[in-house]
Amino acid sequence: MRKSLQTQAEMTQEFGACVFDVTLDCEDGAPVGGEAEHAALVTELALGAAPGARVAVRVHPVDHPAFEADVQAIVGRAGARLCHVMVPKVETVADIDTAARALDAAGAPQLPLQALVESPAAVHRAFDIAAHPRVQSLSFGLMDFVSAHGGAIPEEGMGVQGQFTHPLVVRAKLEIASACHAHGKVPSHCVVTEFKDKAAMAAAARRAANEFGYTRMWSIHPDQIRPILEALSPSEGAIDQAVRMLLAARDAGWAPISFDGKLHDRASYRFHWQVLERAHQTGRQLPTEAQAWFA
């Protein structure tokens, strides 16, 4: 956790923006019987994070005995320093309601929730969960999803190749991404466990973004951060095209224009503005003409 916060601070200085969140884990990170001590450590790390850092916490599931203690200990003391709370094993909208009430009781009624969708039933309810006003993002929990099928999905379905080809896994990923986009929420892609293989990591991130519509992705090792950023960031060519088109559209009063031999209108302008937003959020260098738009 300390290494992650250090890496975040270093890359914030490098890029001039905080380009990834650090989520301090209480669910899998805490040893059995040591939940309270781990929550205290997470609280101190969140309170001691650098100014401007984006720090979150993954608490235990809402039906776990440590859930309420996690929220009271961490959110109760460090809620103002958190950017969101991740809730794992979300099955229903009622689970989100339970989590929201706990955050409210801990004095953080405005703190967003992110939900980890990890079972076939949760995928079935993804649209309802994404519609909840407190939910900011849905993440796909690949390994729990596969294991929830009782062996019906082979182990390869967890791998860097199989997770993009097995029909049940592909369907789940598409449902979650579609649910998020339907309700203006952020779809976050699952981890890739082959963290030593940077080429495989980069290829997976590109597929998640370009084929499955995911706009964020989890890392489980510092070596994965840069390949993910590279894959989810617009290319220099896409940034240049977006700037040129938006300048031409502005000069035309946002009426339809002919640009590079093609017709474009406000739907195109909205798309290319989103390209520039992603470029800004991921620390890409913007042309001089566009920098004022984000001043």
Side-chain angles (χ1 to χ4, degrees):
M1 293 189 290
R2 291 187 177 93
K3 176 63 176 176
S4 297
L5 290 168
Q6 178 186 345
T7 301
Q8 185 189 61
E10 292 169 353
M11 291 183 67
T12 296
Q13 185 173 12
E14 175 185 348
F15 285 90
C18 188
V19 293
F20 68 94
D21 297 353
V22 170
T23 301
L24 307 175
D25 185 22
C26 287
E27 184 194 17
D28 293 332
V32 175
E35 290 86 359
E37 292 80 3
H38 192 79
L41 172 60
V42 164
T43 302
E44 295 306 318
L45 290 174
L47 289 171
R54 288 186 55 84
V55 183
V57 59
R58 178 167 76 161
V59 296
H60 283 84
V62 296
D63 59 354
H64 192 281
F67 168 73
E68 291 190 6
D70 280 350
V71 174
Q72 285 298 322
I74 302 168
V75 178
R77 286 192 58 207
R81 292 293 289 114
L82 299 176
C83 56
H84 66 264
V85 170
M86 162 65 70
V87 183
K89 306 292 189 296
V90 170
E91 290 290 322
T92 66
V93 173
D95 291 342
I96 298 297
D97 287 333
T98 298
R101 286 194 297 268
L103 265 59
D104 293 350
Q110 302 304 317
L111 192 59
L113 289 166
Q114 296 193 5
L116 194 51
V117 175
E118 305 180 71
S119 75
V123 169
H124 176 70
R125 304 182 186 105
F127 279 79
D128 292 335
I129 295 169
H132 196 288
R134 198 67 174 270
V135 169
Q136 182 184 65
S137 173
L138 296 186
S139 295
F140 179 44
L142 169 67
M143 302 181 78
D144 279 277
F145 178 82
V146 171
S147 64
H149 284 75
I153 300 176
E155 183 182 2
E156 289 76 13
M158 299 183 186
V160 71
Q161 297 296 332
Q163 66 171 282
F164 290 104
T165 56
H166 192 283
L168 287 174
V169 180
V170 168
R171 174 182 173 272
K173 289 187 180 188
L174 293 175
E175 285 290 301
I176 291 168
S178 183
C180 286
H181 292 301
H183 294 288
K185 308 301 173 66
V186 177
S188 296
H189 194 265
C190 59
V191 301
V192 169
T193 56
E194 294 88 343
F195 62 86
K196 293 291 187 182
D197 190 340
K198 293 184 180 180
M201 179 70 239
R206 285 193 296 270
R207 293 196 71 177
N210 297 333
E211 298 177 30
F212 289 79
Y214 283 81
T215 57
R216 300 193 80 181
M217 185 169 178
W218 285 89
S219 65
I220 54 171
H221 191 277
D223 288 349
Q224 294 182 327
I225 295 171
R226 290 182 187 273
I228 291 173
L229 280 174
E230 182 69 25
L232 299 187
S233 301
S235 66
E236 290 185 9
I239 294 170
D240 176 70
Q241 181 187 39
V243 171
R244 291 189 297 111
M245 179 181 294
L246 291 172
L247 289 172
R250 183 193 64 185
D251 292 344
W254 307 106
I257 61 171
S258 174
F259 183 85
D260 289 346
K262 297 180 181 179
L263 176 67
H264 290 276
D265 59 15
R266 294 184 186 182
S268 297
Y269 308 154
R270 184 166 59 249
F271 172 85
H272 285 89
W273 173 252
Q274 292 162 352
V275 169
L276 295 187
E277 283 186 317
R278 282 207 322 278
H280 176 66
Q281 291 164 355
T282 52
R284 289 286 192 180
Q285 183 64 39
L286 295 175
T288 303
E289 306 95 307
Q291 290 176 8
W293 296 339
F294 295 94

